[in-house]
Amino acid sequence: MSETLNLARPPQLLLRPATAQDLPQLIAIENACFTPQEAATPAAFALRLQRIPDCFWVAQLHGQVIGLINGPVVAERYIRDELFKQLNASPATGGHQTVLGLAVHPAHRKLGIGRLLLSQLETVARTAQRETVTLTCLQDRVPFYEALGNVNEGASASVHAAQVWLNMVKPLR
């Protein structure tokens, strides 16, 4: 599999692995898309870049990062809150691909960037024989994820940011 993927639409869009040099742009996007309680911290992003570089992708347009997706691979079907603070490198094969963060800069929404980022992470997960892609989301995002083949499996045990999160799972096998 290639490290980068040039997309046909728009031709200037590039999906590539995130790097430490992207950190300021990643933090800016995260803070534009999530409340301070929900957003990943700079330290959390730095840890993710270090530990799960294979599962941290960005969308870049005209040299600017405009979107991101990231999450470790875990043994359990659902995301646990501990993953937001500590995580291990992903195993070579198997497990469940999580999505801890999917964010697209507000100026670039409604263009399919989030769908492309999810598709990229799913491709990586399928190649590594993962069982599912699993994430949590708020109620208002359920239709978006369901339209992409995810199944709402009910309320999560998460108490992250004092919100009610729902488990969304997409089988890959």
Side-chain angles (χ1 to χ4, degrees), residues 44-68:
F45 268 156
L47 183 63
R48 293 175 196 178
L49 286 166
Q50 177 188 21
R51 298 239 173 109
I52 56 167
D54 54 326
C55 303
F56 201 142
W57 290 78
V58 297
Q60 182 177 314
L61 185 63
H62 304 297
Q64 290 290 333
V65 174
I66 62 168
L68 63 97

Side-chain angles (χ1 to χ4, degrees), residues 37-96:
Q37 296 79 19
E38 296 168 345
T41 65
F45 268 156
L47 183 63
R48 293 175 196 178
L49 286 166
Q50 177 188 21
R51 298 239 173 109
I52 56 167
D54 54 326
C55 303
F56 201 142
W57 290 78
V58 297
Q60 182 177 314
L61 185 63
H62 304 297
Q64 290 290 333
V65 174
I66 62 168
L68 63 97
I69 191 166
N70 65 80
V73 175
V74 297
E76 303 85 19
R77 186 174 181 89
Y78 302 125
I79 292 173
R80 296 181 336 270
D81 283 348
E82 295 82 29
L83 288 177
F84 292 101
K85 295 182 181 165
Q86 55 184 310
L87 54 98
N88 297 316
S90 300
T93 60
H96 301 271

Side-chain angles (χ1 to χ4, degrees), residues 74-146:
V74 297
E76 303 85 19
R77 186 174 181 89
Y78 302 125
I79 292 173
R80 296 181 336 270
D81 283 348
E82 295 82 29
L83 288 177
F84 292 101
K85 295 182 181 165
Q86 55 184 310
L87 54 98
N88 297 316
S90 300
T93 60
H96 301 271
Q97 175 65 62
T98 68
V99 177
L100 293 186
L102 171 63
V104 176
H105 189 281
H108 298 281
R109 289 191 182 149
K110 306 291 184 195
L111 301 173
I113 306 300
R115 293 172 197 264
L116 291 170
L117 285 163
L118 276 166
S119 178
Q120 176 63 26
L121 194 61
E122 285 175 22
T123 297
V124 171
R126 283 183 199 283
T127 300
Q129 303 171 346
R130 310 292 184 213
E131 293 180 45
T132 67
V133 172
T134 184
L135 60 98
T136 58
C137 72
L138 300 175
Q139 181 64 46
D140 67 329
R141 301 307 307 157
V142 169
F144 170 77
Y145 290 110
E146 286 181 335

